Amino acid sequence: MRNIYGLTIEDLEGYFLSIGEKKFKAVQLFTWLYEKRIKSFDEITDMKKTVIERLKEDFRLDKLNLAKVERDIEVNKYLFDLEDGSCVESVLMRHDYGTSICISSQVGCNMGCKFCESGRLKKVRDLSSYEMVLQILMVEEDIKTRISHVVIMGIGEPFDNYKNVTDFIKIINHPKGLSIGSRHITVSTSGLVPKILEFADFPYQVNLAISLHAPNNEIRNKIMPINKAYPIEKVIDALKIYYKKTNRRITFEYIMLQGINDTVDCANELVRLLRGLNCYVNLIPYNETNNIEYKRSKKDSIMKFYDIIKKNNMNVTIRREFGTNISAACGQLRSKREDL
Ligand code: SAH
Ligand code: SF4
């Protein structure tokens, strides 16, 4: 039986038509699920008893099991148990402009980036769209506030789970769903070229971020194995097509790893690589982890790097750090619960 929180409005319209009902019932049901937040189909008052019985037969309305919450001043970290015994983490951040949540898209990740804690656990499976929707619903329930921004930057490679991730976006973006504006949703990918091209035709104005992390193939091959399949120039070509079709500015994420990708030469090479693209570079001070030997770049190398990009009139920021106290920062999430 499918979990109801994984169905898009189109899926539900198809469902209602298939049981001989009008398709506007889909919007009604979305309102019950996401506005009224029902706990049982019996709470629905504007559908016939027979329809409600059908819904009960055909769909589950289960939530995830919240195993643990860690709270810090600006950040909460949530650990959820999934039905098959896997776990998933989500991180809530409070900003002056609202609250954002970082969603995981898979259990583990197969991309194997050398610096990433999440990538050390091979992919166990993709998350279903309902498991992503419920990360948001349950966190909203906990904080009793609506979440305004969503980043798909937790564990997993979202473009390796394309259908479920795009269904998830459709559900949370729908005005009768969670109504999170598409410009407030960001998907981050390690650069799966065919999916970047497919995403260029996805008719939602969602932000795209690329985990670039190196200005050339030599360095990128060393830290991101995916670069051997889709080298930098292929990624950039795909992004040019993406930009032509969507007109949306692209974000490049660049983790600062001491002695690996943080030299003045690297900064100049990055400027040459990205020149002419409408983009935004986000420098990320690396979060060191116990199991990985990479070190965070020194503050002055980060500043020098930043200055070079800035001087070349490109948009650049240094990412503010969130959640390091409770290991909720980028790359520190896990999908195991052994130290619960
Ligand atoms: N798989 C996707 C999305 C999840 S990773 C991707 O790679 O884009 C989200 C971001 O966190 C990526 O840019 C990733 O490279 C970065 N990241 C991974 N480990 C990190 C660490 N230890 N410190 C800082 N950022 C890290
Ligand atoms: Fe996977 Fe992203 Fe981590 Fe790479 S950085 S291993 S793609 S989660």
Side-chain angles (χ1 to χ4, degrees):
M1 234 202 297
R2 293 186 69 183
N3 187 305
I4 194 80
Y5 295 108
L7 279 82
T8 64
I9 207 86
E10 292 80 19
D11 294 337
L12 282 175
E13 286 173 353
Y15 167 77
F16 280 113
L17 289 175
S18 78
I19 62 164
E21 294 293 328
K22 293 267 170 19
K23 69 178 194 183
F24 70 79
K25 288 231 159 33
V27 168
Q28 271 177 294
L29 183 54
F30 252 40
T31 308
W32 287 105
L33 293 174
Y34 300 109
E35 227 163 79
K36 308 214 167 90
R37 309 271 166 123
I38 52 168
K39 301 215 160 37
S40 148
F41 289 119
D42 288 324
E43 293 173 48
I44 298 176
T45 54
D46 55 2
M47 292 187 200
K48 289 180 298 208
K49 197 98 194 109
T50 48
V51 176
I52 292 174
E53 287 309 313
R54 261 315 278 273
L55 287 172
K56 285 204 248 176
E57 277 165 33
D58 292 338
F59 299 109
R60 290 181 299 129
L61 194 68
D62 304 336
K63 299 276 176 68
L64 309 175
N65 179 39
L66 178 55
K68 189 179 180 189
V69 190
E70 287 167 81
R71 299 174 200 278
D72 205 340
I73 302 161
E74 299 174 296
V75 178
N76 292 357
K77 184 165 79 163
Y78 296 83
L79 181 71
F80 297 105
D81 288 327
L82 306 177
E83 285 139 354
D84 64 347
S86 308
C87 297
V88 73
E89 281 182 317
S90 333
V91 178
L92 175 89
M93 289 161 278
R94 295 179 195 82
H95 308 271
D96 40 13
Y97 56 79
T99 51
S100 72
I101 185 168
C102 178
I103 294 289
S104 298
S105 58
Q106 298 179 314
V107 180
C109 179
N110 268 347
M111 301 302 130
C113 303
K114 296 286 192 291
F115 47 79
C116 177
E117 186 71 21
S118 312
R120 284 167 27 89
L121 181 77
K122 278 241 161 286
K123 180 173 99 174
V124 177
R125 67 172 174 90
D126 292 330
L127 289 187
S128 309
S129 40
Y130 81 85
E131 290 168 322
M132 293 181 261
V133 172
L134 284 173
Q135 291 175 52
I136 302 184
L137 274 183
M138 296 199 52
V139 171
E140 285 192 345
E141 207 170 279
D142 178 62
I143 59 170
K144 308 205 165 37
T145 313
R146 298 299 290 261
I147 286 166
S148 59
H149 291 67
V150 173
V151 296
I152 308 173
M153 290 192 186
I155 298 169
E157 167 49 57
F159 281 179
D160 184 36
N161 184 15
Y162 189 84
K163 167 82 167 75
N164 293 342
V165 166
T166 47
D167 277 357
F168 161 68
I169 293 171
K170 290 178 188 174
I171 296 166
I172 65 169
N173 176 244
H174 194 280
K176 298 289 180 192
L178 287 169
S179 192
I180 295 170
S182 54
R183 289 182 169 78
H184 289 185
I185 302 172
T186 303
V187 183
S188 172
T189 178
S190 56
L192 271 59
V193 165
K195 295 297 170 194
I196 295 173
L197 294 172
E198 196 172 338
F199 200 60
D201 293 319
F202 182 61
Y204 292 74
Q205 298 280 296
V206 180
N207 304 308
L208 180 62
I210 303 290
S211 292
L212 190 65
H213 308 324
N216 61 45
N217 286 323
E218 195 190 328
I219 299 175
R220 202 164 188 262
N221 280 339
K222 282 193 199 132
I223 56 177
M224 297 179 71
I226 184 69
N227 195 64
K228 292 184 185 132
Y230 304 114
I232 287 189
E233 58 281 3
K234 293 261 163 58
V235 174
I236 300 288
D237 283 351
L239 291 173
K240 284 184 181 154
I241 295 170
Y242 169 88
Y243 183 74
K244 227 173 167 178
K245 287 191 173 173
T246 64
N247 238 333
R248 296 204 54 74
R249 185 162 78 173
I250 297 150
T251 300
F252 288 98
E253 294 158 282
Y254 195 103
I255 294 183
M256 302 294 296
L257 299 164
Q258 188 181 332
I260 306 279
N261 65 357
D262 63 349
T263 61
V264 167
D265 282 350
C266 283
N268 284 316
E269 205 173 351
L270 186 67
V271 166
R272 283 196 297 276
L273 180 72
L274 302 184
R275 183 162 281 144
L277 283 173
N278 185 357
C279 67
Y280 170 99
V281 178
N282 198 356
L283 300 177
I284 309 173
Y286 179 61
N287 294 314
E288 295 174 12
T289 78
N290 290 336
N291 306 309
I292 300 173
E293 79 275 23
Y294 290 120
K295 291 269 167 289
R296 166 185 294 207
S297 300
K298 294 261 174 349
K299 230 187 190 118
D300 65 306
S301 337
I302 300 180
M303 285 320 295
K304 252 192 215 137
F305 205 96
Y306 172 89
D307 286 341
I308 291 171
I309 301 176
K310 191 93 195 156
K311 255 196 238 118
N312 281 277
N313 295 319
M314 291 168 63
N315 304 301
V316 57
T317 49
I318 299 173
R319 181 177 289 175
R320 246 199 75 201
E321 285 183 75
F322 273 96
T324 37
N325 291 341
I326 55 173
S327 291
C330 305
Q332 294 182 328
L333 301 185
R334 325 150 288 152
S335 5
K336 286 196 192 143
R337 54 180 299 184
E338 66 234 344
D339 58 343
L340 186 72

